[in-house]
Amino acid sequence: MKRIGILTSGGDCQGLNAAIRGVAKGLYEHYGKDVEIYGIQDGYRGLIHGEYKLMDRDNFSGILTLGGTILGTSRQPFKMMRQIEDDKVDKVRNMKENYKKMKLDCLVVLGGNGTHKTANLLSEEGLNVVSLPKTIDNDVWGTEMTFGFHSAAEIATNVIDCIHTTATSHGRIFIVEVMGHKVGWLTLQAGIAGGADVILLPEIPYDVNKVVKVLRRRNERGSRFSILAVAEGALSKEEAAMSKKEFKAARASMEFPSISYRLAHELSERLSQEIRVVVPGHFQRGGSPCPYDRVLSTRFGTAAAQLIINKNYGNMVALQNGEIVPVPLKEVAGKLKTVPTDCSLIRSARDIGVSFGD
Ligand code: F6P
């Protein structure tokens, strides 16, 4: 009998259930009745506290198009994994003990960056681990694409599309804040797809004077409106020059809830045009996965099942040059796939006149 544990960890995204289904169906097809799959509740939290249950085949049917995760999820910061907190729980020891209690042959982990650091830690601690890269941010190192990204990009693009019509009617400036604290893939994708005039990313610190100049120039040329796609982690040039401590203090003293509102305030002091802010927020992570994500999740899920069948543990499944390949967890852990500032996507946007505020 093969025993496999499966958990989803970190922020949810579209395609998690499709990927869980891919893993389960891939295993059932191969092992038939000779496999038991344990669903671990709320990510690493369930593994730490022993919250899991034996699933059956039916649990994995009818979930291909379902958003969220049937297993639940939670954020368990990697930096706290080896810390003993007030509850006196030794998290790593507990996770290893529960793995043993379930008599697992392999733990399957679906997650983003933080999740992969812990997955690697568990692998280094001797557990058999296989992982799948999920996140709307598409910032997991080693894979060209994560599932969730295209669905979120579709939603964010739709927001920009809708904003276009009202922005035109009223002749306003709109700032659309797109998710992504550390990386700007989603903002870049939705910004280009939605025809934003200005795109601000964490990777390209902006100069507010440049943004003002671009907006004024558009006005002078007769454009009634402007749309800015701004990543929630976009930074000004001054902020980018700060130390981590200075930056934290500066942000903490900000009277505005987010970068978009602060930018709107700064721009309103210099421009006479009306400015509005739209923050779609977690909308971007909700709902059904788009066809691309359903397919990618299924491919990742079945590839993960194959890794388990072949006992090829300690790997994340990844998309590279159109193929699904294993990438060692130790290579993935701790790295972030940011937007290269000279990539062709950025160049192409610049070529059509998009400003990055730099
Ligand atoms: O990692 C995915 C993500 O949606 C980021 O884009 C965003 O910055 C963050 O999660 C939001 O986290 P939370 O759901 O914990 O508010």
Side-chain angles (χ1 to χ4, degrees), residues 270-285:
R270 324 263 293 267
L271 300 163
S272 55
Q273 215 173 346
E274 276 189 296
I275 304 173
R276 293 288 185 273
V277 174
V278 175
V279 184
H282 291 78
F283 239 83
Q284 293 161 96
R285 294 212 317 238

Side-chain angles (χ1 to χ4, degrees), residues 169-246:
S169 310
H170 288 266
R172 286 171 170 161
I173 293 171
F174 268 86
I175 299 176
V176 179
E177 185 176 297
V178 179
M179 272 190 161
H181 263 302
K182 292 188 181 144
V183 301
W185 289 111
L186 188 58
T187 309
L188 183 59
Q189 180 88 355
I192 295 174
D197 309 297
V198 176
I199 298 177
L200 303 183
L201 310 176
E203 291 88 344
I204 307 179
Y206 68 87
D207 175 347
V208 74
N209 298 314
K210 295 267 171 67
V211 177
V212 167
K213 220 173 174 177
V214 171
L215 297 174
R216 283 208 178 112
R217 202 182 327 129
R218 275 183 57 80
N219 230 241
E220 284 156 16
R221 283 187 191 157
S223 302
R224 276 173 58 77
F225 70 95
S226 291
I227 295 186
L228 293 81
V230 176
E232 58 183 342
L235 295 172
S236 66
K237 283 192 190 288
E238 296 79 44
E239 286 175 324
M242 289 176 185
S243 68
K244 224 173 167 179
K245 204 170 157 196
E246 288 167 337

Side-chain angles (χ1 to χ4, degrees), residues 279-305:
V279 184
H282 291 78
F283 239 83
Q284 293 161 96
R285 294 212 317 238
S288 192
C290 66
Y292 179 93
D293 280 336
R294 294 178 199 183
V295 173
L296 185 63
S297 295
T298 303
R299 292 179 76 194
F300 278 157
T302 52

Side-chain angles (χ1 to χ4, degrees), residues 8 42 143 232 257 330:
T8 52
D42 295 341
T143 184
E232 58 183 342
K330 58 178 182 303

